Amino acid sequence: MKKFLALFLALVLCLSAVSAFADDLKVAMITDYGDITDQSFNQTTYEAAKAWSEANGVEFLYYKPASDSDQDRISSIEKAIDEGYNTIIMPGYAFGPAIQAVAPDYDDVTFIALDVGEGDIGDLAANVPANLYCAVYQEELCGYMAGYAAVKLGYKKLGFLGGMAVPAVVRYGYGFVQGADAAAADLGLTDVEIKYVYGNQFYGDADITAYMDTWYANGTEVVFACGGGIFTSAGEAASKVGMKVIGVDVDQAATIDGLYGEGITVTSAMKGLAATVNAELNALKDGSFVGGKVENLGLVGEDPDANFVQIAPSTQYADGFTAEDYAALVAKMFNGEITVSNDITAEPAVTAVAVDYQGNIK
Amino acid sequence: MESPYAIEMLNITKRFPGIIANDNITLQLKKGEIHALLGENGAGKSTLMSVLFGLYQAEEGTIKKDGEVVKINDPNDANALGIGMVHQHFKLVECFTVLDNIIMGVEPVGPMGFLRKKEAREKVIALSKKYGLDVDPDAKIEDITVGMQQRTEILKMLYRDNEILIFDEPTAVLTPQEIDELMQIMRNLAAEGKSILFISHKLAEIMAVADRCTVLRKGKYIGTVNTKDVTMEELSAMMVGRNVNFHVEKKPATPGDTVLEVRHMTVASKTHSNNAVKDASFKVRRGEIVCIAGIDGNGQSELVYGLTGLEPLTKGEIVLDGKDITKASIRKRSTSGMSHIPEDRHKHGLVLDYSLEYNMILQTYFESAFTDKIGFLRRKNIRNFSDKLIEQYDVRSGQGSITSARSMSGGNQQKAIIARELDKQPEVLVAVQPTRGLDVGAIEYIHKQLVAQRDAGKAVLLISLELDEVMDVPDRILVMYEGEIVGELDPKKTTQEELGLYMAGAKRDEVKA
Amino acid sequence: MKKLLKREGVQAFLASIICILLGLLIGYVVLLLINPNGATESIVKLVQNFFVSKRANLRLKNFGNTLTKTIPLIMCSLSILFSYKVGLFNIGAAGQYVAGACACLYAALGWGWGWLPCMLFAMVIAAVYGAIVGVLKAYCNVNEVISGIMLNWIGLYTANTILSSVKETASPYTLYLDKENPSALLPNIGLDKLFNNSTVTIAVPMALIIAIVVSIVLNKTRIGYELRATGINKNAAKYAGMAENRNIIMTLAISGALAGLGASMLYQTGYMRWECTQSSVPAMGFNGIAAAFLGGLSPIGTIFSSFFIQHITDGGSNVNTNFYSSQISDVISSVIIYLCGFVLFIKLTINKMISRSDEKKGAKN
């Protein structure tokens, strides 16, 4: 065993000798507790970063921590830095404690953290280091769009199935309620109902599916499945009765339709993870990167595709709600005609719809 | 020219790590003869038969059938050559009938896959008439006697038209009367041209039935003799390598007061629904050896289990030295003066993977001599104690106290157990088949130890299946049959024949405890 | 040479080494089959684990990480080993580990206890949990493997339920120990400075000492004598008047205590938090089986085998993800761990080879 160790040490020394490299951009991504095939956060970030790196001839590698713990996330980040990666992309709020531990120690490395807010980075929030850029998203906006679209498309019995009641999920949910309420008011409807529940976990299982079965059996037409893999429960239950779901975070139409039948996904409320990755990497490349802040990303203009919060291009537009209607909605939201509350401390005020808050399934 | 030999094993050598199990052994079985294979346990008889059956491959030597060299790679080859064997432990399906057992594996089948039992039945009845093998083809194995089970095994071989029949220690499970019947059957078979190989270490039987005898000792071939030309003593000397005194020397017993009293003991059986021991009562006094005789499986084991606490009694009492120990734990019985030489030294008597010294303290390890106050073993004391016993009882082993019990010979393992049990200075010694599987020398030694205990004023309860031992060692014989004590005999006044009648259940007295 | 080979300890060591090499070889072949380009680099990096870092302080820190995760593995494999020596297969170690984790975390977060009471509480609860298996075995003749597996699941969901009351509202994880109740964190006794890693604690020397104590108890004490006799030959133990049922219960209680202690030694370092929605029993208890066998069923051996297994598992995250998906690291380390279970088989093969060469030699003479 001793010989082995000696051998490794020798090898390590050799490796370190050759890897003195120029100060080029080298991009590494660390996965959170999920994997790059999660059809959600990790996958979107991974695909965007990899595509950008290939297009720009930049070295790229992703790391998966040895276990789902802060300590191992830190260890993976440091490993990447040790191997010469100077830009670290981290998707997900789970990185909060890891960022607090590493960002101040490595000021020559750029950290790009997605969906990591001020509340996640503790003491750093007061004085965000210049090498750290955090992005959070105004989920209430795209939630609003999805809710608005659903009611305009003629659905009257809506459901919201959240993952856990974390701030991002609650913002999605409350936005969804506000959007549906606004649309119902527009249409002069008084019979729009929303059932609202959290699964208390980010994945679907038999219990949650059973819960969804009851909803659909009692007339629910479309459920906004909001949180990681929890869409499987909503999708499965919907497919049994020919009803619909709404996806989240990324355009989930292909995924959900693929699993549970063509046309089952009405729309998806999306965060612009890929857009953020592209924008920040481009900025790093041309030297315009500005760190030291936690940015709350939302609408940047009237063009729906340029925004960091959207509904998916795969939305099942119809007469009630067309692409043009969507563009008009975005414009109104951008210029302040429509305001959406991001307050998650209290349930949003509604005028037209009836919301049935059912707490947690588990 | 046709060979006079049915099967020949020429210059067979088979080695195992560390030992040569068969060293240049030659065995020639003539057609139509009864040929005995004699040797003590560990002489290499089983290995030789395993080679014949293709279970082992010999490193050297050849096997010939009817004068032609054959290769036997597995038991199927042996069957194809017409070699059949009656094992010591029968290989029968208990819940099948005799006929089903006989035809199993070679069932006559019609074109549609249906059994043709009628043909088979006729063949079996014809065979049993021809050789005088009395069986009921439709009885279930579990309902018939051991003797009939054995006849079923023999019919199995005959049904398969085997020419060479091997009997592995066939008399161990039989009563004297059944043994006589078996001898007659063997003679009939030989007269009909079957060749018989008869494995045994019982000299009287060999002298009675065999034409020739091949003797093995410690893996070596000693010789082949015509039984007509030798005496039993000569055969015995060939087997053991020296002259042996068959008779146990002992003074007349002077029994004292009762040490162990058993009243109406009833013990449940683990194998069937009947009670294995039914209402047995007896006493053992100081200064006497009482032997419980009987054919294997008549409740002796369960009687011992009940006595020593391994199994609970369903009824009855046990009194040791005036104290009721019916409900006492095993340890309590052990510490109140009961020693137990168990029937199966590997199962109960020893922890084989422990060293000899650790086995020597198996029941006393907790005493202050061997464990200190904190709970650590006093290894020095244990070593001294073990060395003392090894010396005193002449237990031989490779490395003394630290030898693994597993690596010791059966005789020395038994000596170690006896040393341990006797050193406890028991009031009553329960010795169950203490000489099983041992060579003559070790048997002699153990018998002497039992007598010495008796002479020291202790009570000895001996449980034995060996007729010679039953007749020679004890001062009183109690015969057990189907869980009951059916007779009390005085070994000086009774005969083997009378004992046999009791053992077979043909005769019984009312025995008063 | 042959004399040396015949020695039990040498054989055990050799068998373990052969298993390790065989596992690495198969892992390497798997990598080659998937993508030959990165195979050599990846397998070397996997074996290097923390040595891969260029910075000395990082190496130390990652060494500390591996060490911290090795500790519960040592304890779990001691738990398995202890029962195994007594002839019981304590697959329920995983559940006892869960019971321990639940107990110490709840005591720390719910009741605000200090580190030592938390640790002792974990030990006691896990011992009780193990004793349940023992009671079922001793008095109802329920096979310990079956009841162990059942109790693993019962334990997991009970722990999830109980610990949900001390979890963060916005995540499925229990609260941070260092924020809620730093007094429940195990003392570092200076090791944090040595390793530049706050999770290296008193657990490290404690586990080593416990391994030695287990070794002494098994080999030098009356209890060990009795328990091992029961394990090797239950019938002989009964014949010798040993209290079989009491021994079974006591053994499983001690096994449980060891596993529970292991959980406390991980969760009370703050390295891990309990995920209240996890739906599989932590692998620690099962990896303990492999570690126990790889360690030649010797308490001291398990120290090294546990470290090796954790080393390989952690090293798995070094596999180059440009060539292989990250799951491959689990495959490789699983292959290696799986092969660790073949130690007894390899030992048998060694013995067969020795005896065959003996036979040949005998034939020549």
Side-chain angles (χ1 to χ4, degrees):
Chain A
M1 195 66 200
K2 239 182 190 170
K3 258 190 190 161
F4 265 109
L5 296 185
L7 206 81
F8 297 155
L9 279 173
L11 237 144
V12 170
L13 287 174
C14 291
L15 282 173
S16 52
V18 281
S19 57
F21 54 90
D23 199 19
D24 283 334
L25 199 57
K26 283 182 86 181
V27 179
M29 171 202 159
I30 320 291
T31 58
D32 65 354
Y33 41 81
D35 213 334
I36 56 157
T37 52
D38 65 356
Q39 298 172 336
S40 180
F41 252 73
N42 289 299
Q43 188 165 2
T44 313
T45 312
Y46 168 74
E47 282 167 1
K50 189 174 165 68
W52 186 91
S53 300
E54 274 168 10
N56 290 282
V58 165
E59 235 181 276
F60 171 77
L61 195 62
Y62 85 92
Y63 287 82
K64 184 171 160 57
S67 76
D68 174 17
S69 67
D70 294 329
Q71 202 69 21
D72 283 318
R73 280 191 272 274
I74 294 170
S75 161
S76 281
I77 294 169
E78 291 189 316
K79 213 176 277 173
I81 296 170
D82 189 60
E83 290 184 359
Y85 291 92
N86 52 18
T87 306
I88 310 292
I89 302 177
M90 297 163 286
Y93 65 91
F95 281 98
I99 291 170
Q100 293 176 51
V102 290
D105 289 352
Y106 297 91
D107 41 19
D108 51 345
V109 176
T110 311
F111 296 95
I112 298 171
L114 307 176
D115 219 26
V116 175
E118 290 182 350
D120 297 317
I121 55 173
D123 298 340
L124 288 186
N127 187 13
V128 183
N131 61 335
L132 171 64
Y133 170 84
C134 296
V136 286
Y137 298 88
Q138 293 168 338
E139 289 91 356
E140 70 277 8
L141 297 183
C142 48
Y144 183 94
M145 295 172 194
Y148 188 87
V151 172
K152 283 279 183 170
L153 285 169
Y155 299 101
K156 290 183 176 172
K157 309 262 184 181
L158 313 183
F160 174 83
L161 170 64
M164 303 184 76
V166 300
V169 171
V170 179
R171 284 198 294 270
Y172 266 126
Y174 288 180
F176 182 73
V177 170
Q178 293 175 58
D181 185 51
D186 277 4
L187 296 171
L189 296 171
T190 53
D191 54 351
V192 175
E193 293 170 14
I194 304 175
K195 288 183 170 131
Y196 192 107
V197 82
Y198 297 104
N200 212 14
Q201 64 189 37
F202 282 113
Y203 54 88
D205 65 14
D207 295 340
I208 296 176
T209 305
Y211 203 89
M212 288 298 108
D213 282 337
T214 317
W215 274 13
Y216 282 116
N218 290 334
T220 300
E221 294 160 332
V222 61
V223 170
F224 181 18
C226 181
I230 207 162
F231 70 83
T232 58
S233 278
E236 194 187 332
S239 70
K240 287 183 207 160
V241 289
M243 291 301 173
K244 307 282 185 180
V245 296
I246 295 172
V248 77
D249 287 343
V250 298
D251 188 349
Q252 287 187 303
T255 308
I256 302 178
D257 286 8
L259 283 170
Y260 302 109
E262 206 53 44
I264 204 167
T265 315
V266 175
T267 182
S268 297
M270 288 169 33
K271 299 188 203 186
L273 294 169
T276 317
V277 169
N278 284 326
E280 294 311 312
L281 288 178
N282 277 327
L284 270 171
K285 197 184 166 208
D286 58 30
S288 63
F289 174 82
V290 184
K293 62 183 176 187
V294 177
E295 214 163 14
N296 193 1
L297 298 174
L299 300 174
V300 293
E302 293 189 10
D303 173 12
D305 293 338
N307 291 328
F308 288 102
V309 286
Q310 313 172 356
I311 57 173
S314 63
T315 301
Q316 293 168 354
Y317 293 118
D319 287 348
F321 189 71
T322 61
E324 290 73 41
D325 293 339
Y326 172 48
L329 174 71
V330 171
K332 278 188 199 163
M333 287 169 77
F334 178 68
N335 61 32
E337 247 176 89
I338 295 174
T339 56
V340 183
S341 159
N342 64 356
D343 178 15
I344 56 169
T345 55
E347 287 153 8
V350 288
T351 56
V353 299
V355 190
D356 175 13
Y357 291 101
Q358 301 179 348
N360 285 318
I361 293 176
K362 293 189 175 181
Chain B
M1 193 193 89
E2 212 190 318
S3 165
Y5 296 112
I7 202 99
E8 293 171 87
M9 301 181 78
L10 302 171
N11 307 101
I12 300 291
T13 297
K14 173 71 201 165
R15 295 186 188 84
F16 291 112
I19 57 159
I20 306 176
N22 287 163
D23 187 359
N24 195 15
I25 287 173
T26 294
L27 175 70
Q28 293 173 303
L29 176 62
K30 280 187 195 159
K31 286 177 187 156
E33 76 164 339
I34 301 177
H35 191 122
L37 182 59
L38 174 66
E40 294 184 298
N41 279 46
K45 292 174 298 187
S46 313
T47 309
L48 192 64
M49 288 304 108
S50 298
V51 170
L52 183 57
F53 265 84
L55 294 168
Y56 294 135
Q57 306 300 317
E59 275 93 25
E60 289 162 34
T62 48
I63 300 174
K64 285 187 186 171
K65 165 100 199 289
D66 297 330
E68 285 178 39
V69 175
V70 290
K71 188 104 183 87
I72 302 176
N73 287 321
D74 56 53
N76 291 335
D77 291 353
N79 283 331
L81 291 171
I83 305 173
M85 182 154 169
V86 176
H87 294 270
Q88 205 172 345
H89 300 284
F90 304 145
K91 312 227 178 270
L92 296 170
V93 179
E94 293 264 302
C95 57
F96 274 19
T97 64
V98 169
L99 181 62
D100 288 341
N101 268 289
I102 291 171
I103 63 173
M104 198 188 305
V106 288
E107 306 90 348
V109 189
M112 298 292 286
F114 288 104
L115 281 176
R116 287 190 174 163
K117 276 204 191 170
K118 210 178 151 206
E119 284 171 27
R121 176 193 301 276
E122 280 161 12
K123 187 173 172 187
V124 167
I125 292 174
L127 283 172
S128 69
K129 286 226 175 84
K130 184 173 171 190
Y131 295 104
L133 293 158
D134 172 33
V135 294
D136 171 7
D138 299 315
K140 283 193 178 168
I141 296 296
E142 57 197 359
D143 299 331
I144 62 178
T145 63
V146 176
M148 202 180 280
Q149 290 180 11
Q150 192 172 53
R151 292 197 283 276
T152 305
E153 283 278 12
I154 297 170
L155 276 169
K156 244 165 94 178
M157 295 195 295
L158 297 174
Y159 186 83
R160 285 160 177 72
D161 300 321
N162 287 334
E163 290 299 318
I164 297 151
L165 313 180
I166 302 170
F167 289 82
D168 185 7
E169 308 254 359
T171 59
V173 288
L174 302 181
T175 62
Q177 283 76 9
E178 282 176 320
I179 291 172
D180 287 343
E181 281 174 46
L182 176 68
M183 300 272 172
Q184 193 50 48
I185 291 166
M186 286 167 76
R187 286 190 201 102
N188 291 347
L189 289 167
E192 292 288 334
K194 306 281 182 190
S195 314
I196 295 176
L197 201 52
F198 174 41
I199 303 170
S200 181
H201 61 254
K202 291 180 183 163
L203 299 168
E205 291 167 8
I206 290 173
M207 295 301 286
V209 75
D211 301 313
R212 296 197 300 152
C213 176
T214 293
V215 183
L216 306 185
R217 190 200 315 147
K218 290 180 180 157
K220 290 206 169 55
Y221 174 70
I222 302 301
T224 302
V225 293
N226 288 321
T227 47
K228 283 196 280 309
D229 306 339
V230 290
T231 63
M232 227 204 277
E233 283 69 28
E234 282 166 334
L235 263 188
S236 154
M238 280 175 85
M239 169 167 85
V240 185
R242 62 185 169 89
N243 291 319
V244 179
N245 185 1
F246 281 112
H247 208 72
V248 179
E249 306 279 347
K250 61 174 200 233
K251 293 177 288 188
T254 49
D257 44 342
T258 300
V259 180
L260 179 71
E261 183 170 4
V262 172
R263 288 194 288 255
H264 308 293
M265 178 197 270
T266 301
V267 182
S269 166
K270 287 213 157 161
T271 45
H272 47 82
S273 54
N274 297 336
N275 281 326
V277 180
K278 296 163 201 152
D279 200 31
S281 302
F282 61 90
K283 282 178 189 164
V284 186
R285 291 167 295 177
R286 282 187 199 287
E288 70 168 350
I289 300 177
V290 174
C291 177
I292 294 187
I295 298 161
D296 198 5
N298 274 288
Q300 301 98 313
S301 302
E302 287 82 357
L303 178 108
V304 173
Y305 291 162
L307 201 56
T308 55
L310 286 164
E311 293 287 336
L313 303 193
T314 46
K315 236 174 65 196
E317 287 121 54
I318 308 166
V319 180
L320 176 63
D321 232 359
K323 277 174 293 197
D324 187 336
I325 57 159
T326 314
K327 293 249 156 61
S329 67
I330 299 172
R331 173 146 305 163
K332 181 85 186 112
R333 295 177 204 219
S334 163
T335 50
S336 3
M338 185 187 283
S339 269
H340 174 196
I341 298 169
E343 174 181 358
D344 187 334
R345 58 180 167 267
H346 291 175
K347 186 179 173 192
H348 286 118
L350 295 168
V351 178
L352 285 178
D353 291 315
Y354 266 1
S355 61
L356 179 53
E357 57 180 354
Y358 273 15
N359 273 295
M360 287 293 197
I361 56 163
L362 202 56
Q363 290 133 316
T364 47
Y365 63 93
F366 53 87
E367 287 174 0
S368 61
F370 304 128
T371 299
D372 66 17
K373 278 183 198 132
I374 317 167
F376 282 88
L377 291 175
R378 296 174 180 246
R379 292 150 75 85
K380 216 184 205 169
N381 290 4
I382 294 169
R383 177 67 50 84
N384 291 340
F385 172 73
S386 165
D387 286 345
K388 187 194 86 188
L389 289 192
I390 288 172
E391 162 110 39
Q392 197 177 331
Y393 291 87
D394 189 29
V395 183
R396 292 187 204 161
S397 61
Q399 298 152 284
S401 285
I402 58 163
T403 317
S404 155
R406 190 181 287 287
S407 70
M408 291 165 55
S409 72
N412 280 302
Q413 288 177 343
Q414 191 72 350
K415 275 186 181 177
I417 294 174
I418 286 167
R420 180 181 74 205
E421 298 308 316
L422 297 188
D423 186 77
K424 278 162 59 191
Q425 309 283 342
E427 295 305 319
V428 56
L429 173 67
V430 181
V432 191
Q433 299 186 51
T435 58
R436 189 165 82 155
L438 301 186
D439 61 45
V440 177
I443 292 174
E444 220 182 328
Y445 171 89
I446 286 163
H447 286 166
K448 271 187 195 153
Q449 293 290 344
L450 294 182
V451 173
Q453 282 293 306
R454 179 198 77 161
D455 293 344
K458 312 284 185 190
V460 178
L461 183 66
L462 170 71
I463 287 85
S464 179
L465 303 176
E466 302 279 340
L467 282 179
D468 296 339
E469 193 167 76
V470 172
M471 297 300 288
D472 264 6
V473 181
D475 304 307
R476 272 197 298 148
I477 303 171
L478 299 170
V479 186
M480 247 186 127
Y481 175 73
E482 292 191 337
E484 290 172 81
I485 291 178
V486 294
E488 178 175 341
L489 303 169
D490 182 340
K492 287 194 280 297
K493 291 178 192 151
T494 188
T495 61
Q496 291 217 356
E497 285 64 39
E498 192 188 7
L499 186 60
L501 290 175
Y502 279 98
M503 283 163 70
K507 207 173 161 189
R508 62 186 297 160
D509 305 333
E510 277 306 307
V511 180
K512 299 250 157 52
Chain C
M1 175 68 187
K2 201 169 276 166
K3 226 176 191 175
L4 195 73
L5 272 180
K6 278 184 183 168
R7 281 180 51 186
E8 182 73 12
V10 176
Q11 272 186 14
F13 181 74
L14 209 66
S16 301
I17 296 290
I18 290 174
C19 278
I20 289 171
L21 293 178
L22 216 60
L24 287 172
L25 186 71
I26 292 177
Y28 183 54
V29 170
V30 170
L31 289 178
L32 276 177
L33 286 177
I34 294 171
N35 188 339
N37 287 331
T40 309
E41 179 213 344
S42 291
I43 198 82
V44 168
K45 277 190 168 180
L46 181 140
V47 175
Q48 281 178 309
N49 183 16
F50 52 82
F51 286 107
V52 106
S53 301
K54 295 177 202 80
R55 279 168 246 194
N57 65 338
L58 257 190
R59 276 203 296 274
L60 265 179
K61 186 171 178 182
N62 288 332
F63 180 31
N65 281 347
T66 300
L67 215 52
T68 301
K69 283 186 279 182
T70 300
I71 297 311
L73 192 54
I74 292 178
M75 299 306 293
C76 284
S77 68
L78 285 176
S79 161
I80 305 268
L81 174 148
F82 193 84
S83 296
Y84 195 83
K85 292 269 181 192
V86 191
L88 296 164
F89 190 51
N90 184 21
I91 203 164
Q96 292 140 22
Y97 177 81
V98 168
C102 177
C104 70
L105 284 175
Y106 196 81
L109 296 167
W111 299 326
W113 289 8
W115 71 271
L116 192 58
C118 284
M119 185 180 247
L120 294 175
F121 186 58
M123 207 170 111
V124 169
I125 293 293
V128 169
Y129 209 64
I132 295 175
V133 179
V135 169
L136 287 172
K137 167 101 184 173
Y139 295 109
C140 311
N141 201 20
V142 179
N143 185 298
E144 76 275 11
V145 173
I146 304 208
S147 58
I149 290 174
M150 294 300 184
L151 283 165
N152 284 352
W153 292 103
I154 294 171
L156 175 73
Y157 288 111
T158 310
N160 280 350
T161 309
I162 293 174
L163 291 178
S164 285
S165 62
V166 290
K167 82 177 185 63
E168 289 183 323
T169 45
S171 85
Y173 299 94
T174 48
L175 296 164
Y176 279 99
L177 265 189
D178 52 354
K179 289 188 192 130
E180 294 301 315
N181 180 9
S183 72
L185 287 173
L186 300 180
N188 291 105
I189 57 165
L191 288 170
D192 53 336
K193 291 184 191 75
L194 187 66
F195 284 95
N196 179 31
N197 186 332
S198 66
T199 62
V200 186
T201 62
I202 195 170
V204 175
M206 266 172 107
L208 301 186
I209 290 167
I210 289 170
I212 293 167
V213 168
V214 166
S215 175
I216 290 174
V217 166
L218 276 175
N219 294 312
K220 312 241 169 188
T221 66
R222 173 190 149 179
I223 292 173
Y225 174 89
E226 201 171 295
L227 292 182
R228 275 192 308 137
T230 312
I232 302 168
N233 187 345
K234 206 169 76 176
N235 295 308
K238 189 175 178 191
Y239 156 84
M242 297 172 187
E244 198 189 348
N245 287 347
R246 192 201 64 200
N247 283 354
I248 288 174
I249 297 169
M250 189 168 72
T251 301
L252 283 160
I254 294 175
S255 273
L258 289 168
L261 210 52
S264 138
M265 286 175 166
L266 178 65
Y267 286 96
Q268 282 184 253
T269 61
Y271 195 105
M272 284 256 181
R273 295 185 292 158
W274 185 265
E275 186 194 344
C276 299
T277 54
Q278 59 187 292
S279 53
S280 60
V281 183
M284 208 56 95
F286 305 118
N287 288 348
I289 300 171
F293 281 99
L294 185 65
L297 289 169
S298 129
I300 308 300
T302 58
I303 297 175
F304 298 98
S305 60
S306 300
F307 181 77
F308 174 77
I309 286 178
Q310 194 54 49
H311 183 81
I312 289 291
T313 310
D314 282 354
S317 63
N318 289 343
V319 170
N320 190 326
T321 52
N322 277 336
F323 300 112
Y324 310 101
S325 72
S326 57
Q327 286 91 341
I328 200 71
S329 64
D330 295 336
V331 174
I332 303 294
S333 36
S334 312
V335 165
I336 294 169
I337 293 172
Y338 188 76
L339 272 160
C340 295
F342 282 61
V343 166
L344 293 180
F345 173 75
I346 301 268
K347 230 161 120 179
L348 210 74
T349 313
I350 295 177
N351 273 322
K352 257 194 195 152
M353 270 156 58
I354 292 175
S355 65
R356 205 171 298 153
S357 91
D358 274 355
E359 259 183 65
K360 265 188 201 151
K361 233 191 203 164
K364 266 181 220 151
N365 292 343

